[in-house]
Amino acid sequence: MPSLAQLLESFPETHDADAPADAALSEMIDSTALRPVPLGRMRRFGLLGTLQAKIAAAYLFYWVRGWFTSAAERERLLAETHWKSAARVLDSMSYLRGAAMKVGQTLANFPDVAPRAFVETLDQLHYDAPPMHWSLLAEMVRNELGDDPQQLFARFEQRAFAAASLGQVHRAELRSGEEVVLKIQYPGIARTIREDMRNLLLFLLPSRLSKDWESVKAQADDLRRRLELETDYEAEAATLTAVRSLFREDDGIVVPRVHSQFSTPRILTMDRIKGVHLDEFVARGPTQEQRNEVAKRLIRAWYRMMYSGRLLYLDFHPGNIMVLDDGRVGLLDFGMMLPLNDELWTLFHVIDRALTTGRREDRIAANEMWCDVDRDAWTADRVEITDAYADWCWRARYCGGEFDFGDEADFREGVDLFAKMAARRYTRAKPCTPVICRSQFGWRSILYRLRAKFDIRAIAESEVKATGWDRSDYL
Amino acid sequence: MRVSAETKQATRDRILRSAQRLFADQGYDATTTRDIARTANIAAGTLFNYFPTKDAIVASWARQALDDATEAFDLEASDVSGLEEDLFSFVALGLRKLKLMRKHLPALLETSLSPLVTHDAGDGPSLRVAQLEVVAKLAAKHGHGEISTVALQMYWSLYAGLLTFWSQDESRKQEDTLALLDQSLNMFVGWLRNNGAARSATNQP
């Protein structure tokens, strides 16, 4: 994959007099790796505002120029505009990190919405967040674990081997000889996220006049709580331990063990899983059977957590999935989870009925319950579009048999339906809806990348059966 | 009766230890020089022979802590990638040594920490001078040449600001201070780099 600077150099000649020259833009982006996390609210607000303005201006420019250009030329210009926007988004997110990086990862889960090159560039965020220098990192270890990294561990690699959205990951060896990884958080990132979310709410203020403001605010609050919780590695360690207990050796699913004596709310020390990230696995050209096996293990893990653990895994992206040499699948990063409490579990029963039976009336009942909209707001159009989207989400489940998750037309249909719902503002729903949608597109895009073909219903049914859940009333 | 240097040093250390304990137990503001003298088993008047004010006790304590940090700091460390990282290590080491007196540092803002003060009361060159000497050596080590007095003044202003922020930092384990230090040094070294480049350009024929 070419670097961002190389890609920018390959831009067609720009007609945008106001846009920075490619070389200057490349330099600006290259320099972001050296910038620290900006913590002041006004400074960050200013950055966000500038970014919005840059992107808005780029698209406006395209729109105006589009009046004077042929269709083919318009396509070229649109690609160019996408590119420049991608570069600016990347620039800003490298700088803002934290919550903003989560947005980047979400965008990267839509491989066919944005140009492929755009997504591949954003994908680098999974691995290439700007680093903390060693002195800062060592100070974080001293602050959290009470001693120098070299004293605490038999070996500690100064160079990060991966970047996490909230920090970076280092390999180390315990005095007992076990190989571990430490996920170390950027200092002050929790406060950064709180400020990002306050800024986001300020940007949303114009929606305040709409009747759905309360729902929008509740969804933003829910996202803020989840992002804040994600900064608590102690909570993540507890989740990891709970999830790990759900799997047996023969499941072929690996969840790393936590080393609690070297873990705190800001540092998480876990077993090192040796394997390759999902993208590298795909790039090696595995057979259809090998890709299906990885997909099936991922889905089994997803359903096991859902039905047996009452936990929804929300953070599907290639950087969180490892494929081991023996074909086992490792899952990383359990910071973003949705526990299905009693209220959600009750709602989930209604959804489970719909996605199992495939009956239209069951889907409509589930949608009405989930969207919490007044009876008179359920227009025929709303019913039709939300039902079509739910049908897309659940079709593979209720149909059973081999389903082709690599079918581009099918994937695009889901994205188009989602975009249509958003465009018509049919977004009023339970507060956790944005993270659930993110998760839904997350696992679908992973299966799409794998071009997987398998019977998802069979896996779901075996997982439900293992819990002893009696669903005879569905018939 | 003449008092030996050893006895003087022992009394001085006893005063410092007593003050540290009282500041920790009852707070800086609530502690009087009379309390400190009583705890150190000396007359109030004797205490003033060593420290003219309560602030001078804190200044001396800070000076000692920072001297320890300077002594422990490896000026020649080769595993750092740049001036920013070297300065970060140096300042962070100082913060660790100052940890016990973190909350009392504001008492020094108008005296020892002030950019305008060059000497502590009766205590030789200020702690500022000793710190800035290290900064100048590190700048030279990383190829920034002889550092200007303007740059040193800027550094000290950032440093005094950092200590003030740290003294009131309520974040978990004062992690926000580490982020602020990272940002401050990034700004300082960036300024040094740009200023140096600008000076080189100006000096060119």
Side-chain angles (χ1 to χ4, degrees), chain A residues 34-40 43 133-137 139-140 142-145 148 150 158 185-191 264-266, chain B residues 79-81 84-89 92-93 95-96 99 165 171-180 182-187 193:
Chain A
L34 299 170
R35 295 187 209 163
V37 180
L39 288 167
R43 192 168 165 208
H133 57 68
W134 170 245
S135 297
L136 173 56
L137 189 107
E139 202 56 32
M140 280 300 285
R142 276 185 212 105
N143 225 16
E144 292 293 323
L145 300 177
D148 293 343
Q150 293 93 334
Q158 292 197 3
Q185 206 171 108
Y186 295 104
I189 207 79
R191 186 158 64 87
T264 74
R266 297 289 181 262
Chain B
D79 62 343
V80 288
S81 58
E84 202 176 331
E85 195 176 341
D86 236 341
L87 283 173
F88 189 97
S89 294
L93 180 58
L95 294 183
R96 266 179 269 144
K99 199 165 187 175
F165 180 88
S171 65
R172 186 176 183 282
K173 299 194 175 192
Q174 293 82 54
E175 62 179 359
D176 284 354
T177 299
L178 293 183
L180 181 66
D182 192 32
Q183 284 178 47
S184 302
L185 292 176
N186 184 269
M187 188 172 87
R193 203 177 290 127

Side-chain angles (χ1 to χ4, degrees), chain B residues 118-137:
Chain B
T118 53
H119 283 75
D120 284 346
D123 203 18
S126 74
L127 51 86
R128 183 172 72 125
V129 173
Q131 291 287 295
L132 292 182
E133 276 173 7
V134 175
V135 174
K137 281 178 189 165

Side-chain angles (χ1 to χ4, degrees), chain B residues 4-17 40 50:
Chain B
S4 70
E6 289 82 11
T7 310
K8 269 189 176 172
Q9 188 58 45
T11 307
R12 185 186 166 82
D13 290 347
R14 203 162 66 245
I15 294 170
L16 282 173
R17 278 198 305 276
Y50 291 85

Side-chain angles (χ1 to χ4, degrees), chain B:
Chain B
M1 186 182 76
R2 290 180 65 83
V3 180
S4 70
E6 289 82 11
T7 310
K8 269 189 176 172
Q9 188 58 45
T11 307
R12 185 186 166 82
D13 290 347
R14 203 162 66 245
I15 294 170
L16 282 173
R17 278 198 305 276
S18 302
Q20 287 169 14
R21 199 162 58 242
L22 287 166
F23 292 161
D25 290 349
Q26 57 192 47
Y28 178 81
D29 289 336
T31 302
T32 63
T33 47
R34 195 175 296 276
D35 295 336
I36 297 168
R38 191 170 49 245
T39 310
N41 284 323
I42 55 171
T46 308
L47 185 141
F48 293 119
N49 291 335
Y50 291 85
F51 300 102
T53 62
K54 195 168 66 173
D55 289 356
I57 298 177
V58 180
S60 178
W61 183 8
R63 172 74 193 266
Q64 195 174 309
L66 289 175
D67 281 350
D68 288 351
T70 305
E71 200 174 316
F73 182 69
D74 180 6
L75 262 170
E76 303 306 321
S78 56
D79 62 343
V80 288
S81 58
L83 175 60
E84 202 176 331
E85 195 176 341
D86 236 341
L87 283 173
F88 189 97
S89 294
F90 178 58
V91 177
L93 180 58
L95 294 183
R96 266 179 269 144
K97 298 281 183 188
L98 288 169
K99 199 165 187 175
L100 282 176
M101 57 178 309
R102 177 173 75 89
K103 295 199 172 201
H104 316 313
L105 288 171
L108 306 181
L109 280 176
E110 290 178 12
T111 54
S112 307
L113 288 181
S114 165
L116 304 174
V117 173
T118 53
H119 283 75
D120 284 346
D123 203 18
S126 74
L127 51 86
R128 183 172 72 125
V129 173
Q131 291 287 295
L132 292 182
E133 276 173 7
V134 175
V135 174
K137 281 178 189 165
L138 290 177
K141 172 185 164 186
H142 290 282
H144 290 273
E146 194 177 336
I147 196 164
S148 71
T149 49
V150 175
L152 290 173
Q153 192 76 356
M154 177 188 253
Y155 174 85
W156 191 253
S157 301
L158 290 170
Y159 183 68
L162 179 89
L163 292 183
T164 310
F165 180 88
W166 184 51
S167 70
Q168 291 161 48
D169 186 356
E170 298 296 329
S171 65
R172 186 176 183 282
K173 299 194 175 192
Q174 293 82 54
E175 62 179 359
D176 284 354
T177 299
L178 293 183
L180 181 66
L181 174 59
D182 192 32
Q183 284 178 47
S184 302
L185 292 176
N186 184 269
M187 188 172 87
F188 174 68
V189 175
W191 180 84
L192 213 57
R193 203 177 290 127
N194 293 335
N195 196 252
R199 267 192 305 175
S200 305
T202 312
N203 294 339
Q204 275 173 9

Side-chain angles (χ1 to χ4, degrees), chain A residues 69 120 123 168 197 204 213 228 265 296 319 328 330 383 385 427 436 441 447 468:
Chain A
T69 49
E120 283 175 358
D123 255 6
Q168 60 195 41
M197 294 308 293
L204 289 174
W213 164 248
E228 275 186 46
K296 284 197 268 187
R328 286 182 299 159
V383 169
I385 292 176
T427 50
I436 290 183
F441 279 107
L447 299 190

